[in-house]
Amino acid sequence: FTLIAYAVTLTDFEPNPVCRRYMATPHASVELWALTAKTLMALNVAIFAGQLYIQSVIMCLMTLSLSYLYIRWQPHFNEWVNHIRSGLYCMLFWTSAFIAIMKFDHRRDDPEHLKWLTDAMLIGLAPVLVFGFLVSFFRLRLLQWHALKTIRATPAEVEQANIKDVYRFHDPQEVEIVMRVLRRWTPEDDEVLEPEAVQLADLIIRIG
């Protein structure tokens, strides 16, 4: 089953950068890492059954990894899917952190204290969802703003040999994330891309 899940995930990507499927993703690397984290979480529950001290720590690490993956790499073309999933994984991390706190807290045998921790966890779920959503939103906006600010200031007569010195991307995936400015359609026809957006995306690709 695991091998089939990895095979399906590996082949589930969309090479068309203007695809409008909600869950479309340009590469499978983030989803493969996420599947690995989820697999480890499942193995954690099975292997360390009853050992909540170990389980809680591993769950914290895996849910934190999932939150980082989606906030850092923004795997889906549809940015709102990225933000929502980031918020949901932050909620999982929040819950896992409280499970660890309950297990390691020296007052873990006090029912009233555990009730207070449980209430705090439940009350914090919605704010944490919003927090994860906003962190993902501003992370994407900051990356695109910083790159586009530099690229748009590039003189039109810059030589092709020096074009890669205009802006240094840290990773090819960052090029693809910034290149999503391409996904702007004309008001007159929602099947036609804005020419300026296409030209900007082409410049971003050549720089990256």
Side-chain angles (χ1 to χ4, degrees):
F1 174 80
T2 302
L3 291 176
I4 293 174
Y6 272 95
V8 171
T9 303
L10 182 63
T11 57
D12 186 17
F13 64 92
E14 175 57 65
N16 179 10
V18 293
C19 176
R20 296 187 178 184
R21 285 195 301 115
Y22 285 118
M23 300 296 289
T25 181
H27 52 80
S29 58
V30 174
E31 293 299 325
L32 285 173
W33 281 111
L35 180 59
T36 300
K38 295 171 187 176
T39 302
L40 291 174
M41 289 167 66
L43 291 174
N44 171 46
V45 173
I47 295 173
F48 300 108
Q51 303 181 51
L52 291 180
Y53 291 100
I54 299 175
Q55 284 185 349
S56 61
V57 173
I58 294 177
M59 292 293 280
C60 277
L61 293 174
M62 292 302 102
T63 52
L64 180 60
S65 300
L66 287 169
S67 301
Y68 171 80
L69 279 172
Y70 282 86
I71 292 173
R72 174 70 176 86
W73 295 115
Q74 303 286 314
H76 298 286
F77 287 129
N78 189 326
E79 67 173 84
W80 301 110
V81 174
N82 294 318
H83 305 332
I84 292 171
R85 294 191 75 176
S86 296
L88 292 173
Y89 284 128
C90 285
M91 286 175 63
L92 285 178
F93 172 66
W94 172 263
T95 306
S96 301
F98 267 88
I99 293 174
I101 291 171
M102 290 178 183
K103 291 309 298 179
F104 287 94
D105 195 327
H106 67 280
R107 292 176 290 176
R108 58 184 174 272
D109 295 325
D110 182 358
E112 288 300 319
H113 181 64
L114 292 179
K115 181 179 182 302
W116 180 85
L117 287 174
T118 303
D119 291 341
M121 179 194 69
L122 294 174
I123 292 171
L125 286 176
V128 169
L129 172 64
V130 175
F131 172 79
F133 185 99
L134 292 176
V135 170
S136 176
F137 177 86
F138 285 111
R139 182 267 180 281
L140 176 62
R141 289 293 183 274
L142 183 61
L143 171 63
Q144 291 183 329
W145 174 82
H146 188 263
L148 293 176
K149 178 184 177 183
T150 304
I151 292 170
R152 282 176 172 144
T154 304
E157 61 275 7
V158 65
E159 296 182 9
Q160 183 65 31
N162 301 324
I163 197 168
K164 289 189 177 295
D165 295 329
V166 171
Y167 185 84
R168 292 290 183 180
F169 289 97
H170 296 97
D171 190 276
Q173 293 182 22
E174 287 190 352
V175 180
E176 187 278 322
I177 293 172
V178 177
M179 188 268 294
R180 293 176 194 171
V181 295
L182 169 72
R183 295 171 58 83
R184 295 207 305 263
W185 289 267
T186 59
E188 297 80 14
D189 189 342
D190 64 358
E191 297 296 327
V192 178
L193 295 169
E194 293 184 1
E196 296 82 2
V198 175
Q199 293 174 3
L200 181 58
D202 177 67
L203 177 60
I204 291 168
I205 293 171
R206 287 189 286 121
I207 291 172

